[in-house]
């Protein structure tokens, strides 16, 4: 029996057991991700809301899946993402507003009672936020740096989409609206992963 080989095997086994134990105690490395579905056909427009995915990790991401987003500004399609970060305060602290047609602008504004508070954007505190539209996948993805939202431990959202409904003939256009689930009803809290 070679004692040197035995010592090497024991050391390797101990290192492997130690590494496996550390991995098991660390828990999952993935972020908290929750998907919320919405009924199809709530809005007779391509902006019809189908699904919302919320990720709360090193960044906060909200991905909104629509029925059929189009690039043309004539669609008038838009979205509002209400973000609640404070369990002690009623209603959302922030609202993200943006057009979902090509060239549209967007902004993150303070909110109170389901309304924006003025037109002054939320201070960035060294962070940023961005929205990316993918017309092939019919998605709008908004990514927030945590410091922009006050580094929340948990968040919940409510999403509203809308679009201009152009009638036949001489009737004036109207705007259709679709809320995720019930109107002004937040998702459950999504904890930071």
């Amino acid at each position: 029996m070679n004692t040197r080989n035995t010592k090497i095997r024991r050391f390797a086994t101990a290192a492997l057991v130690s590494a496996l134990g550390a991995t098991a105690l660390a828990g999952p490395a993935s972020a908290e991700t929750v998907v919320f579905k919405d009924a199809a056909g709530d809005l007779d427009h391509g902006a019809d809301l189908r699904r919302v995915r919320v990720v709360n990790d090193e960044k906060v991401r909200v991905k909104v899946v629509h029925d059929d987003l189009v690039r043309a500004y004539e669609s008038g399609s838009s979205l509002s993402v209400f973000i609640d970060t404070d369990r002690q305060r009623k209603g959302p602290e922030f609202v993200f507003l943006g057009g979902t047609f090509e060239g549209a602008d967007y902004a993150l504004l303070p909110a109170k009672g389901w309304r924006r508070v003025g037109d002054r954007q939320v201070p960035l505190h060294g962070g940023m936020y961005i929205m990316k539209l993918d017309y092939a996948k019919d998605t709008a993805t908004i990514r927030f740096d945590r410091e922009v939202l006050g580094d929340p431990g948990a968040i919940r959202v409510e999403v509203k989409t809308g679009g201009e409904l152009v009638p036949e003939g001489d009737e004036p256009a109207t705007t259709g609206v679709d809320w995720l689930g019930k109107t002004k009803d937040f998702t459950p809290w999504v904890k930071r992963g």
Side-chain angles (χ1 to χ4, degrees):
M1 177 183 221
N2 187 338
T3 57
R4 183 169 187 250
N5 286 343
T6 303
K7 286 181 182 178
I8 291 172
R9 281 191 206 126
R10 284 184 187 160
F11 178 75
T13 302
L16 178 63
V17 169
S18 176
L20 289 174
T23 303
L25 293 174
S30 63
E32 183 70 35
T33 302
V34 184
V35 175
F36 305 97
K37 294 184 179 183
D38 190 62
D42 293 337
L43 176 63
D44 190 20
H45 189 284
D48 184 32
L49 181 58
R50 302 303 305 275
R51 197 166 58 250
V52 175
R53 179 176 182 241
V54 179
V55 179
N56 187 5
D57 61 5
E58 63 271 353
K59 297 197 184 295
V60 172
R61 294 183 302 278
V62 179
K63 182 177 185 178
V64 181
V65 179
H66 302 265
D67 183 42
D68 185 22
L69 284 182
V70 296
R71 295 176 184 271
Y73 72 90
E74 291 93 349
S75 71
S77 66
S78 64
L79 63 81
S80 303
V81 179
F82 296 91
I83 306 168
D84 190 8
T85 60
D86 187 349
R87 292 177 188 259
Q88 306 303 316
R89 193 176 146 213
K90 188 176 180 179
E93 284 71 49
F94 304 98
V95 59
F96 177 90
L97 303 172
T100 51
F101 52 88
E102 194 168 61
D105 205 358
Y106 54 85
L108 180 65
L109 303 170
K112 186 175 183 181
W114 298 99
R115 296 180 183 268
R116 70 177 197 241
V117 179
D119 292 324
R120 177 171 270 176
Q121 294 186 40
V122 169
L124 298 178
H125 301 293
M128 63 169 277
Y129 60 91
I130 189 168
M131 177 171 69
K132 293 189 176 183
L133 301 171
D134 186 330
Y135 296 101
K137 295 181 180 177
D138 298 315
T139 59
T141 305
I142 306 114
R143 187 181 74 222
F144 305 91
D145 287 339
R146 299 193 66 77
E147 54 268 31
V148 175
L149 301 175
D151 196 21
I155 64 164
R156 59 184 183 164
V157 302
E158 170 62 297
V159 178
K160 177 179 80 168
T161 61
E164 188 171 81
L165 304 174
V166 181
E168 294 180 23
D170 294 334
E171 294 291 320
T174 59
T175 302
V177 174
D178 184 13
W179 290 84
L180 175 62
K182 296 178 183 175
T183 302
K184 298 180 183 177
D185 188 23
F186 283 112
T187 64
W189 290 95
V190 179
K191 295 179 183 177
R192 182 175 180 178

